[in-house]
Amino acid sequence: PTQVTIFDVAGRHVKTLLNEELPAQTHQVIWTGDDENGRHVAAGVYFYMVTSGDERSVGRMALVK
């Protein structure tokens, strides 16, 4: 499966946005700034991790409110 996960700067899991099998093509995933319980998180720096098979990519993003 392909998984897209959000973490805070301390490395704590914030939310899993996607965890499913996807066909090989371009996809878009949008995070609205909420956690697993639907609560809005604080503005700041967060990290995303995209995992698919043996491939893994990590990036940094800023949540601005």
Side-chain angles (χ1 to χ4, degrees):
T2 298
Q3 188 173 41
V4 179
T5 311
I6 307 296
F7 298 93
D8 65 13
V9 293
R12 293 181 296 248
H13 176 264
V14 175
K15 185 168 187 173
T16 299
L17 300 177
L18 180 73
N19 188 12
E20 62 186 74
E21 293 290 336
L22 295 175
Q25 63 187 37
T26 302
H27 298 277
Q28 179 176 326
V29 178
I30 298 173
W31 178 44
T32 58
D34 57 340
D35 65 12
E36 291 285 6
N37 298 315
R39 296 183 300 240
H40 292 289
V41 298
V45 176
Y46 291 86
F47 294 90
Y48 62 86
M49 180 170 61
V50 180
T51 307
S52 184
D54 294 334
E55 301 294 319
R56 178 179 292 169
S57 177
V58 177
R60 182 172 58 172
M61 62 183 164
L63 176 62
V64 180
K65 293 187 176 188

